[in-house]
PDB file of all heavy atoms in Angstrom:
ATOM      1  N   VAL Z 486      90.505 161.925 123.686  1.00  0.00           N
ATOM      2  CA  VAL Z 486      90.126 161.800 122.271  1.00  0.00           C
ATOM      3  C   VAL Z 486      89.570 160.408 121.994  1.00  0.00           C
ATOM      4  O   VAL Z 486      88.574 160.250 121.273  1.00  0.00           O
ATOM      5  CB  VAL Z 486      91.348 162.093 121.373  1.00  0.00           C
ATOM      6  CG1 VAL Z 486      90.997 161.909 119.897  1.00  0.00           C
ATOM      7  CG2 VAL Z 486      91.882 163.495 121.643  1.00  0.00           C
ATOM      8  N   VAL Z 487      90.186 159.397 122.576  1.00  0.00           N
ATOM      9  CA  VAL Z 487      89.756 158.010 122.342  1.00  0.00           C
ATOM     10  C   VAL Z 487      88.354 157.777 122.901  1.00  0.00           C
ATOM     11  O   VAL Z 487      87.460 157.267 122.211  1.00  0.00           O
ATOM     12  CB  VAL Z 487      90.758 157.027 122.977  1.00  0.00           C
ATOM     13  CG1 VAL Z 487      90.309 155.586 122.742  1.00  0.00           C
ATOM     14  CG2 VAL Z 487      92.166 157.255 122.431  1.00  0.00           C
ATOM     15  N   THR Z 490      85.612 159.510 121.051  1.00  0.00           N
ATOM     16  CA  THR Z 490      85.281 158.767 119.834  1.00  0.00           C
ATOM     17  C   THR Z 490      84.288 157.651 120.140  1.00  0.00           C
ATOM     18  O   THR Z 490      83.308 157.445 119.412  1.00  0.00           O
ATOM     19  CB  THR Z 490      86.553 158.180 119.206  1.00  0.00           C
ATOM     20  OG1 THR Z 490      87.505 159.225 118.991  1.00  0.00           O
ATOM     21  CG2 THR Z 490      86.251 157.487 117.897  1.00  0.00           C
ATOM     22  N   ALA Z 491      84.525 156.928 121.222  1.00  0.00           N
ATOM     23  CA  ALA Z 491      83.623 155.832 121.605  1.00  0.00           C
ATOM     24  C   ALA Z 491      82.230 156.363 121.935  1.00  0.00           C
ATOM     25  O   ALA Z 491      81.215 155.793 121.524  1.00  0.00           O
ATOM     26  CB  ALA Z 491      84.215 155.083 122.802  1.00  0.00           C
ATOM     27  N   LYS Z 494      80.298 157.266 118.921  1.00  0.00           N
ATOM     28  CA  LYS Z 494      79.854 156.069 118.216  1.00  0.00           C
ATOM     29  C   LYS Z 494      78.722 155.360 118.952  1.00  0.00           C
ATOM     30  O   LYS Z 494      78.221 154.336 118.475  1.00  0.00           O
ATOM     31  CB  LYS Z 494      81.034 155.107 118.017  1.00  0.00           C
ATOM     32  CG  LYS Z 494      81.982 155.531 116.894  1.00  0.00           C
ATOM     33  CD  LYS Z 494      83.080 154.502 116.727  1.00  0.00           C
ATOM     34  CE  LYS Z 494      83.895 154.765 115.471  1.00  0.00           C
ATOM     35  NZ  LYS Z 494      83.146 154.595 114.214  1.00  0.00           N
ATOM     36  N   THR Z 549      90.004 150.471 121.494  1.00  0.00           N
ATOM     37  CA  THR Z 549      90.344 150.910 120.134  1.00  0.00           C
ATOM     38  C   THR Z 549      90.509 149.736 119.193  1.00  0.00           C
ATOM     39  O   THR Z 549      89.966 149.724 118.071  1.00  0.00           O
ATOM     40  CB  THR Z 549      91.647 151.734 120.160  1.00  0.00           C
ATOM     41  OG1 THR Z 549      91.518 152.813 121.083  1.00  0.00           O
ATOM     42  CG2 THR Z 549      91.963 152.281 118.778  1.00  0.00           C
ATOM     43  N   LEU Z 552      86.890 147.601 119.013  1.00  0.00           N
ATOM     44  CA  LEU Z 552      85.579 148.207 118.795  1.00  0.00           C
ATOM     45  C   LEU Z 552      85.639 149.445 117.905  1.00  0.00           C
ATOM     46  O   LEU Z 552      84.871 149.566 116.952  1.00  0.00           O
ATOM     47  CB  LEU Z 552      84.951 148.579 120.136  1.00  0.00           C
ATOM     48  CG  LEU Z 552      83.513 149.102 120.091  1.00  0.00           C
ATOM     49  CD1 LEU Z 552      82.580 148.050 119.490  1.00  0.00           C
ATOM     50  CD2 LEU Z 552      83.030 149.480 121.485  1.00  0.00           C
ATOM     51  N   LEU Z 553      86.551 150.365 118.180  1.00  0.00           N
ATOM     52  CA  LEU Z 553      86.541 151.650 117.481  1.00  0.00           C
ATOM     53  C   LEU Z 553      87.316 151.631 116.181  1.00  0.00           C
ATOM     54  O   LEU Z 553      86.861 152.163 115.157  1.00  0.00           O
ATOM     55  CB  LEU Z 553      87.116 152.751 118.386  1.00  0.00           C
ATOM     56  CG  LEU Z 553      86.463 152.925 119.754  1.00  0.00           C
ATOM     57  CD1 LEU Z 553      87.183 154.019 120.545  1.00  0.00           C
ATOM     58  CD2 LEU Z 553      84.986 153.255 119.596  1.00  0.00           C
ATOM     59  N   GLY Z 554      88.498 151.080 116.207  1.00  0.00           N
ATOM     60  CA  GLY Z 554      89.393 151.155 115.058  1.00  0.00           C
ATOM     61  C   GLY Z 554      90.251 152.413 115.148  1.00  0.00           C
ATOM     62  O   GLY Z 554      89.770 153.493 115.510  1.00  0.00           O
ATOM     63  N   ILE Z 555      91.514 152.289 114.824  1.00  0.00           N
ATOM     64  CA  ILE Z 555      92.442 153.407 114.947  1.00  0.00           C
ATOM     65  C   ILE Z 555      92.084 154.538 113.997  1.00  0.00           C
ATOM     66  O   ILE Z 555      92.332 155.714 114.263  1.00  0.00           O
ATOM     67  CB  ILE Z 555      93.893 152.921 114.713  1.00  0.00           C
ATOM     68  CG1 ILE Z 555      94.899 154.045 115.056  1.00  0.00           C
ATOM     69  CG2 ILE Z 555      94.077 152.451 113.286  1.00  0.00           C
ATOM     70  CD1 ILE Z 555      94.901 154.448 116.479  1.00  0.00           C
ATOM     71  N   LYS Z 556      91.445 154.206 112.863  1.00  0.00           N
ATOM     72  CA  LYS Z 556      91.087 155.232 111.888  1.00  0.00           C
ATOM     73  C   LYS Z 556      90.098 156.235 112.476  1.00  0.00           C
ATOM     74  O   LYS Z 556      90.240 157.452 112.289  1.00  0.00           O
ATOM     75  CB  LYS Z 556      90.506 154.590 110.634  1.00  0.00           C
ATOM     76  CG  LYS Z 556      90.108 155.602 109.567  1.00  0.00           C
ATOM     77  CD  LYS Z 556      89.521 154.912 108.346  1.00  0.00           C
ATOM     78  CE  LYS Z 556      89.076 155.937 107.302  1.00  0.00           C
ATOM     79  NZ  LYS Z 556      88.477 155.273 106.110  1.00  0.00           N
ATOM     80  N   SER Z 557      89.101 155.767 113.202  1.00  0.00           N
ATOM     81  CA  SER Z 557      88.101 156.674 113.766  1.00  0.00           C
ATOM     82  C   SER Z 557      88.719 157.569 114.838  1.00  0.00           C
ATOM     83  O   SER Z 557      88.349 158.736 114.980  1.00  0.00           O
ATOM     84  CB  SER Z 557      86.933 155.876 114.348  1.00  0.00           C
ATOM     85  OG  SER Z 557      87.374 155.022 115.389  1.00  0.00           O
ATOM     86  N   VAL Z 558      89.683 157.042 115.600  1.00  0.00           N
ATOM     87  CA  VAL Z 558      90.368 157.864 116.595  1.00  0.00           C
ATOM     88  C   VAL Z 558      91.199 158.937 115.899  1.00  0.00           C
ATOM     89  O   VAL Z 558      91.227 160.102 116.327  1.00  0.00           O
ATOM     90  CB  VAL Z 558      91.257 157.002 117.504  1.00  0.00           C
ATOM     91  CG1 VAL Z 558      92.050 157.879 118.481  1.00  0.00           C
ATOM     92  CG2 VAL Z 558      90.411 155.992 118.274  1.00  0.00           C
ATOM     93  N   ALA Z 559      91.868 158.559 114.810  1.00  0.00           N
ATOM     94  CA  ALA Z 559      92.668 159.534 114.064  1.00  0.00           C
ATOM     95  C   ALA Z 559      91.786 160.636 113.488  1.00  0.00           C
ATOM     96  O   ALA Z 559      92.175 161.809 113.465  1.00  0.00           O
ATOM     97  CB  ALA Z 559      93.435 158.833 112.951  1.00  0.00           C
ATOM     98  N   GLU Z 560      90.596 160.277 113.033  1.00  0.00           N
ATOM     99  CA  GLU Z 560      89.675 161.287 112.500  1.00  0.00           C
ATOM    100  C   GLU Z 560      89.223 162.251 113.590  1.00  0.00           C
ATOM    101  O   GLU Z 560      89.086 163.451 113.348  1.00  0.00           O
ATOM    102  CB  GLU Z 560      88.465 160.599 111.865  1.00  0.00           C
ATOM    103  CG  GLU Z 560      88.800 159.861 110.569  1.00  0.00           C
ATOM    104  CD  GLU Z 560      87.628 159.046 110.047  1.00  0.00           C
ATOM    105  OE1 GLU Z 560      86.629 158.890 110.805  1.00  0.00           O
ATOM    106  OE2 GLU Z 560      87.698 158.560 108.909  1.00  0.00           O
ATOM    107  N   MET Z 561      88.998 161.733 114.789  1.00  0.00           N
ATOM    108  CA  MET Z 561      88.622 162.602 115.899  1.00  0.00           C
ATOM    109  C   MET Z 561      89.781 163.526 116.279  1.00  0.00           C
ATOM    110  O   MET Z 561      89.572 164.718 116.565  1.00  0.00           O
ATOM    111  CB  MET Z 561      88.189 161.773 117.102  1.00  0.00           C
ATOM    112  CG  MET Z 561      87.797 162.594 118.332  1.00  0.00           C
ATOM    113  SD  MET Z 561      86.372 163.665 118.051  1.00  0.00           S
ATOM    114  CE  MET Z 561      85.053 162.441 118.031  1.00  0.00           C
ATOM    115  N   ALA Z 562      90.994 163.007 116.287  1.00  0.00           N
ATOM    116  CA  ALA Z 562      92.166 163.834 116.597  1.00  0.00           C
ATOM    117  C   ALA Z 562      92.318 164.953 115.587  1.00  0.00           C
ATOM    118  O   ALA Z 562      92.689 166.088 115.938  1.00  0.00           O
ATOM    119  CB  ALA Z 562      93.424 162.970 116.626  1.00  0.00           C
ATOM    120  N   ASP Z 563      92.001 164.675 114.334  1.00  0.00           N
ATOM    121  CA  ASP Z 563      92.076 165.690 113.294  1.00  0.00           C
ATOM    122  C   ASP Z 563      90.946 166.715 113.459  1.00  0.00           C
ATOM    123  O   ASP Z 563      91.151 167.924 113.296  1.00  0.00           O
ATOM    124  CB  ASP Z 563      92.003 165.032 111.920  1.00  0.00           C
ATOM    125  CG  ASP Z 563      92.314 166.006 110.801  1.00  0.00           C
ATOM    126  OD1 ASP Z 563      93.506 166.331 110.622  1.00  0.00           O
ATOM    127  OD2 ASP Z 563      91.366 166.459 110.129  1.00  0.00           O
ATOM    128  N   ARG Z 564      89.762 166.243 113.805  1.00  0.00           N
ATOM    129  CA  ARG Z 564      88.616 167.133 113.975  1.00  0.00           C
ATOM    130  C   ARG Z 564      88.849 168.111 115.131  1.00  0.00           C
ATOM    131  O   ARG Z 564      88.460 169.269 115.069  1.00  0.00           O
ATOM    132  CB  ARG Z 564      87.352 166.311 114.239  1.00  0.00           C
ATOM    133  CG  ARG Z 564      86.061 167.058 113.914  1.00  0.00           C
ATOM    134  CD  ARG Z 564      84.826 166.352 114.432  1.00  0.00           C
ATOM    135  NE  ARG Z 564      84.801 164.921 114.247  1.00  0.00           N
ATOM    136  CZ  ARG Z 564      83.887 164.121 114.788  1.00  0.00           C
ATOM    137  NH1 ARG Z 564      82.910 164.635 115.547  1.00  0.00           N
ATOM    138  NH2 ARG Z 564      83.925 162.823 114.606  1.00  0.00           N
ATOM    139  N   MET Z 571      97.312 161.677 111.872  1.00  0.00           N
ATOM    140  CA  MET Z 571      97.888 160.851 112.924  1.00  0.00           C
ATOM    141  C   MET Z 571      98.226 159.460 112.384  1.00  0.00           C
ATOM    142  O   MET Z 571      97.413 158.842 111.699  1.00  0.00           O
ATOM    143  CB  MET Z 571      96.877 160.707 114.073  1.00  0.00           C
ATOM    144  CG  MET Z 571      97.436 160.048 115.304  1.00  0.00           C
ATOM    145  SD  MET Z 571      96.180 159.836 116.587  1.00  0.00           S
ATOM    146  CE  MET Z 571      95.479 158.245 116.097  1.00  0.00           C
ATOM    147  N   ARG Z 573      98.436 155.621 111.918  1.00  0.00           N
ATOM    148  CA  ARG Z 573      97.475 154.577 112.313  1.00  0.00           C
ATOM    149  C   ARG Z 573      98.187 153.497 113.115  1.00  0.00           C
ATOM    150  O   ARG Z 573      98.365 152.372 112.677  1.00  0.00           O
ATOM    151  CB  ARG Z 573      96.833 153.959 111.080  1.00  0.00           C
ATOM    152  CG  ARG Z 573      95.593 154.636 110.517  1.00  0.00           C
ATOM    153  CD  ARG Z 573      95.602 156.128 110.470  1.00  0.00           C
ATOM    154  NE  ARG Z 573      94.440 156.639 109.727  1.00  0.00           N
ATOM    155  CZ  ARG Z 573      94.245 157.898 109.457  1.00  0.00           C
ATOM    156  NH1 ARG Z 573      95.119 158.804 109.867  1.00  0.00           N
ATOM    157  NH2 ARG Z 573      93.175 158.284 108.780  1.00  0.00           N
TER     158      ARG Z 573
END
Side-chain angles (χ1 to χ4, degrees):
V486 177
V487 180
T490 305
K494 283 182 170 294
T549 305
L552 186 60
L553 305 178
I555 189 64
K556 180 181 178 181
S557 61
V558 176
E560 290 173 349
M561 179 63 74
D563 190 75
R564 202 192 317 171
M571 189 183 87
R573 273 42 172 185

